[in-house]
C-alpha cells in the first residue's frame, strides 16, 4: 500500500509517498480503507525525530482517520465490511490502510463527511478527557482555554458551551472570531494583552476554575494567578518550554491548585476504549444535533502533506488541517 514516509528526521520536505507493507488485522482488529486523516502537532514532532510512537504502534505518522471497513478479524462481530468508521490512532493514519482494535472504532454519524470525521477523534477526545475527566467541568465552570483557535482549542470551547459553562480564550487577533464562533465568551490577544488582567476583569476578581494549557513554562505562573481557589490546571503540551523557574509551593498551596499533566497517545488501550465509549455515548450525538462540529481549516490532497505541515508549523491554521486520501 501507499503511505507517507519520513525519509529522514527533519523539515517537511523529508516526507514523500512510497510503498510499505499493508497491515493485517488480528483476531480483534479491523482493517480500514483510509479516506481521510488529519494533522496534529505530534505529527510534526515525530517527523523531526522527537516523538516516537509507543511500543507496538505503527511507525507511520497519523493519529486519526476516517474510512470504510474492508476486513474484520475472526473475533469481530460489531463491525462489517462497508461500515463508515473513524478512530483515534497510536500511529499509521497517513496511509491507504490501517488496522484498528474493534473497540476503538466509532461509527461516523449520518450526514458527516469523511473529511469532517477525520478531524474529530484526536482533538475532541483530548478535549473531552481534559475537561470532563481531569477538569471536573460542570455548568458553573469558568474555563480559560489557551490556543483557542487550535484544533483542541476549538473542540474544548464547543464542549464548554455544550456543558452550559463559560470560557475565555487566548489567540492571536486574527483568530478571535473563530474562538467566539465556537464558544468563547471573551478572547484575549496573547501578543498584546495580559490574559491575567483579562481573566480578573472577566471573572470580577474570582478567577477561573479550570485552565487548559498547551504552552507550558511561559504561562505557568500566569495560569496560577488566573485560577480561583481549588482551581485546576490541565497541562496537555509544552509548546513554549517545559522548565518552570522559581515555583513557590506556597503560591500553589494558597489557592489549593490542582495541577494535572496528561498525555493521550501513550495511554493504555483500556483507557482509550473507555474514553472512546463515553465520548461516543455522550458527545457524538451532539454532532447530529449540530451542537458540536468539526472545525476545518483546510482540506488538502495527501500528496500535499509537506505544505500541510508547513502551514501548521507556521501557525497559519485555525482548526484542523485534513488530508484527503480518497477523493
Amino acid at each position: 500500500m501507499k503511505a507517507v514516509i519520513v525519509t529522514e528526521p527533519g523539515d517537511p520536505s523529508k516526507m514523500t509517498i512510497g510503498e510499505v507493507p499493508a497491515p493485517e488485522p488480528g483476531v480483534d482488529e479491523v482493517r480500514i480503507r483510509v479516506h481521510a486523516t488529519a494533522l496534529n502537532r505530534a505529527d510534526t514532532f515525530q517527523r523531526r525525530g522527537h516523538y516516537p510512537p509507543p511500543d507496538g504502534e505503527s511507525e507511520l505518522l497519523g493519529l486519526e482517520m476516517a474510512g470504510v471497513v474492508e476486513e474484520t478479524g475472526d473475533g469481530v462481530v460489531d463491525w462489517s465490511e462497508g461500515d463508515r468508521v473513524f478512530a483515534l490512532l497510536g500511529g499509521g493514519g497517513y496511509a491507504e490502510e490501517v488496522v484498528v482494535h474493534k473497540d476503538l472504532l466509532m461509527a461516523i454519524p449520518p450526514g458527516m463527511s469523511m473529511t469532517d470525521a477525520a478531524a474529530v477523534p484526536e482533538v475532541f477526545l483530548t478535549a473531552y478527557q481534559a475537561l470532563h475527566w481531569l477538569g471536573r467541568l460542570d455548568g458553573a465552570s469558568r474555563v480559560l482555554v489557551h490556543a483557542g483557535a487550535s484544533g483542541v482549542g476549538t473542540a474544548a470551547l464547543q464542549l464548554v458551551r455544550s456543558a452550559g459553562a463559560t470560557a475565555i480564550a487566548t489567540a492571536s487577533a486574527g483568530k478571535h472570531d473563530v474562538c467566539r464562533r465556537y464558544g468563547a465568551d471573551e478572547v484575549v490577544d496573547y501578543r498584546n494583552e495580559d490574559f491575567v488582567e483579562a481573566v480578573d476583569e472577566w471573572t470580577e476578581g474570582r478567577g477561573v476554575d479550570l485552565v487548559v494549557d498547551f504552552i507550558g513554562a511561559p504561562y505557568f505562573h500566569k495560569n496560577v494567578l488566573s485560577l480561583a481557589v481549588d482551581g485546576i490546571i490541565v497541562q496537555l503540551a509544552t509548546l513554549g518550554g517545559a522548565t518552570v523557574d522559581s515555583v513557590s509551593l506556597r503560591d500553589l498551596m494558597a489557592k489549593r491548585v490542582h495541577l494535572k499533566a496528561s498525555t493521550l497517545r501513550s495511554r493504555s488501550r483500556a483507557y482509550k476504549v473507555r474514553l472512546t465509549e463515553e465520548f461516543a455515548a455522550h458527545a457524538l450525538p451532539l454532532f447530529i444535533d449540530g451542537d458540536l462540529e468539526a472545525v476545518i481549516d483546510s482540506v488538502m490532497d495527501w500528496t500535499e502533506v509537506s505544505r500541510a505541515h508547513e502551514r501548521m508549523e507556521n501557525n497559519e491554521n485555525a482548526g484542523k488541517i485534513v488530508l484527503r486520501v480518497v477523493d
Side-chain angles (χ1 to χ4, degrees):
M1 69 172 184
K2 289 183 170 59
V4 173
I5 300 169
V6 180
T7 57
E8 61 178 293
D11 63 43
S13 69
K14 305 301 181 183
M15 293 182 294
T16 187
I17 294 179
E19 292 286 339
V20 300
E24 294 293 333
V27 64
D28 290 325
E29 293 179 323
V30 177
R31 183 165 59 88
I32 311 297
R33 177 65 166 100
V34 177
H35 282 231
T37 185
L39 270 64
N40 292 284
R41 285 282 178 182
D43 301 338
T44 67
F45 299 147
Q46 182 175 336
R47 189 201 72 232
R48 292 184 179 277
H50 302 317
Y51 191 40
D55 291 342
E57 299 289 357
S58 172
E59 295 287 334
L60 298 174
L61 302 178
L63 300 183
E64 55 197 331
M65 69 83 212
V68 175
V69 173
E70 285 199 329
E71 182 183 359
T72 60
D74 293 338
V76 179
V77 296
D78 294 332
W79 303 104
S80 301
E81 183 179 348
D83 286 346
R84 299 171 74 247
V85 295
F86 63 140
L88 179 74
L89 307 172
Y94 288 21
E96 290 183 315
E97 296 179 349
V98 68
V99 163
V100 185
H101 189 275
K102 62 183 179 62
D103 295 333
L104 291 172
L105 291 173
M106 295 179 283
I108 297 176
M112 180 180 282
S113 69
M114 287 290 185
T115 50
D116 279 1
V120 169
E122 199 277 341
V123 294
F124 273 94
L125 287 169
T126 297
Y128 189 93
Q129 174 202 223
L131 294 168
H132 289 283
W133 284 22
L134 304 175
R136 301 202 299 259
L137 179 73
D138 62 32
S141 297
R142 301 178 301 269
V143 186
L144 169 59
V145 178
H146 289 300
S150 66
V152 179
T154 52
L157 290 172
Q158 291 184 71
L159 290 170
V160 168
R161 181 175 59 189
S162 71
T166 55
I168 182 171
T170 61
S172 58
K175 299 178 180 180
H176 283 198
D177 287 345
V178 171
C179 295
R180 290 192 176 93
R181 175 182 174 185
Y182 293 107
D185 298 275
E186 187 66 45
V187 190
V188 183
D189 181 357
Y190 69 89
R191 291 173 176 165
N192 299 304
E193 298 178 84
D194 185 337
F195 69 78
V196 178
E197 294 178 0
V199 165
D200 186 67
E201 181 177 351
W202 182 63
T203 63
E204 298 179 338
R206 292 173 295 175
V208 293
D209 305 293
L210 171 61
V211 176
V212 180
D213 183 43
F214 315 88
I215 308 304
Y219 280 10
F220 181 81
H221 294 297
K222 288 186 173 185
N223 285 340
V224 173
L225 290 173
S226 299
L227 277 180
V229 174
D230 290 319
I232 300 170
I233 299 173
V234 178
Q235 196 71 50
L236 296 177
T238 55
L239 297 177
T243 302
V244 181
D245 296 326
S246 303
V247 176
S248 170
L249 297 180
R250 289 181 178 176
D251 289 344
L252 304 185
M253 294 170 67
K255 286 194 172 182
R256 300 196 294 269
V257 172
H258 300 250
L259 175 61
K260 300 183 179 183
S262 181
T263 59
L264 185 53
R265 189 183 191 187
S266 60
R267 296 278 191 176
S268 69
R269 181 198 297 160
Y271 182 97
K272 293 177 183 177
V273 167
R274 188 162 57 92
L275 178 62
T276 298
E277 290 176 342
E278 183 174 318
F279 176 82
H282 297 289
L284 208 51
L286 298 178
F287 287 90
I288 300 173
D289 297 339
D291 294 329
L292 297 177
E293 64 178 284
V295 181
I296 306 293
D297 170 81
S298 51
V299 178
M300 303 182 189
D301 190 87
W302 72 321
T303 58
E304 299 181 282
V305 61
S306 295
R307 184 166 71 87
H309 273 233
E310 289 173 357
R311 181 169 179 81
M312 173 167 278
E313 290 187 313
N314 291 335
N315 295 318
E316 296 171 358
N317 61 300
K320 296 286 289 187
I321 301 172
V322 176
L323 297 176
R324 184 178 52 244
V325 181
V326 174
D327 287 335

